[in-house]
Amino acid sequence: MKNILVIGGTGKTGRKVVERLENLGQNVRVGSRNAEPAFDWENAETWSSALKGMDQVYITFQPDLAVPGALEAIEVLTKKAAQAGVKKLVLLSGKGEHEAELCEQVVIHSGLDYTIVRASWFMQNFSESFFLDPILAGHVALPKPEAKVPYISTDDIADVVVEVLLNEQHHGQIYELTGPRVLTFEEVIKEIAQATGRDIMFTPVELEDYVKFLEEVGVPEDYVWLINYLFSHVLDAKGNDVVTGDVQKVLGRSPKDFSEYVQETHQTGVWNPKLTKAV
């Protein structure tokens, strides 16, 4: 049994990693502001207590490793982890993000065992994040309509993270996780509309107009910055539309297809405006 700290243990991937590790009988500590001991990315004084006694750490940074200040935070965290006697770090990174790769280098050169998990865009962004409200409203307007993305399920990410935490053969590896095919935003919305039987419109917009809209509706400043960065520098960057075989390599099975995610998510009712309002 290992002592594992899951930073972001209530987030999209973290909560699933926690659940899987606990089911396997591992000793898991949830790293979040509301946990005991607390872990707060905005308060470095909380980090040492959360790291104390841990063998391994799964690191997810909010909102993304690309944002200003992330690199400095990862540098401090890795030093504190080494001082606390942590043996291995697993870092969730973003596929095609230069700033995230700088954070990866900090972990790689930390002197600790490590595995880097670079993920493509999450399928769950359409059911658990800022793309959900437009889908519920029946009108999705996004920039870069021509961009093709190999969306990855957070279920697959969690399975990979658990595997690399528990097995030494993955030390020193960098895995790029994608789904089995690429889709444009219009294709994504079409699949969701067909599964739900709803009329959901997709409209391409200019990035500048999209950013202004986000600011007007009160999206937090750091998220607006991140979305602008992702759309302008990452979404259609060279190589980001490449489907990899790393999920198969690590888990011995194919990654979840977007259509499977859509069917599973439809069953939850999250895309049903009437059910969502009732809740």
Side-chain angles (χ1 to χ4, degrees):
M1 185 175 71
K2 297 178 180 178
N3 299 318
I4 303 174
L5 171 64
V6 178
I7 297 177
T10 59
K12 287 191 184 73
T13 67
R15 70 175 190 270
K16 295 180 178 181
V17 170
V18 168
E19 179 183 9
R20 285 158 170 75
L21 288 172
E22 288 180 340
N23 287 341
L24 292 170
Q26 301 299 319
N27 182 27
V28 184
R29 177 176 290 169
V30 175
S32 74
R33 283 176 291 184
N34 297 321
E36 181 58 45
F39 182 97
D40 185 350
W41 275 117
E42 296 181 5
N43 182 4
E45 293 182 2
T46 65
W47 302 355
S48 294
S49 295
L51 290 164
K52 186 177 181 180
M54 295 295 102
D55 302 311
Q56 302 189 353
V57 183
Y58 173 49
I59 306 169
T60 66
F61 185 86
Q62 293 297 321
D64 192 278
L65 288 176
V67 302
L71 179 60
E72 292 77 9
I74 296 299
E75 288 174 340
V76 174
L77 180 72
T78 55
K79 290 177 182 178
K80 287 181 178 291
Q83 291 168 356
V86 171
K87 299 178 180 65
K88 181 172 182 177
L89 304 175
V90 175
L91 178 69
L92 179 65
S93 184
K95 190 170 181 285
E97 296 181 18
H98 173 67
E99 285 78 1
E101 291 179 11
L102 295 177
C103 295
E104 292 175 12
Q105 289 301 311
V106 173
V107 171
I108 289 170
H109 296 288
S110 66
L112 305 177
D113 290 327
Y114 70 88
T115 305
I116 305 297
V117 178
R118 287 181 190 158
S120 186
W121 281 35
F122 299 171
M123 295 178 184
Q124 282 73 12
N125 284 339
F126 296 97
S127 53
E128 300 178 22
S129 195
F130 38 79
F131 295 148
L132 175 59
D133 285 344
I135 290 172
L136 290 172
H139 186 189
V140 180
L142 291 171
K144 300 291 180 79
E146 72 287 348
K148 296 181 178 181
V149 180
Y151 293 99
I152 180 76
S153 170
T154 54
D155 292 313
D156 288 331
I157 297 172
D159 285 344
V160 167
V161 168
V162 170
E163 168 64 23
V164 303
L165 281 168
L166 300 183
N167 291 285
E168 295 181 358
Q169 69 193 64
H170 303 291
H171 288 354
Q173 298 297 310
I174 299 176
Y175 296 120
E176 292 198 346
L177 307 187
T178 73
R181 63 188 171 110
V182 296
L183 297 97
T184 64
F185 286 128
E186 188 168 12
E187 290 169 337
V188 164
I189 300 308
K190 184 178 180 181
E191 288 208 23
I192 294 173
Q194 289 176 340
T196 58
R198 295 180 54 219
D199 183 16
I200 307 174
M201 184 187 309
F202 174 79
T203 303
V205 296
E206 294 297 323
L207 178 56
E208 183 178 346
D209 295 332
Y210 185 59
V211 169
K212 285 182 179 178
F213 167 75
L214 294 177
E215 292 171 340
E216 289 171 359
V217 299
V219 174
E221 185 178 342
D222 55 348
Y223 277 90
V224 173
W225 183 94
L226 175 61
I227 292 167
N228 188 28
Y229 167 79
L230 292 174
F231 274 97
S232 59
H233 292 85
V234 179
L235 185 63
D236 56 357
K238 184 178 180 181
N240 262 11
D241 58 349
V242 174
V243 172
T244 73
D246 282 0
V247 171
Q248 178 78 43
K249 182 178 180 181
V250 175
L251 300 177
R253 64 165 176 79
S254 299
K256 183 177 293 187
D257 187 79
F258 194 83
S259 60
E260 185 180 353
Y261 153 75
V262 168
Q263 291 301 324
E264 290 175 354
T265 305
H266 169 49
Q267 297 301 318
T268 70
V270 71
W271 287 323
N272 185 325
K274 293 181 181 178
L275 289 178
T276 303
K277 288 179 181 178
V279 172

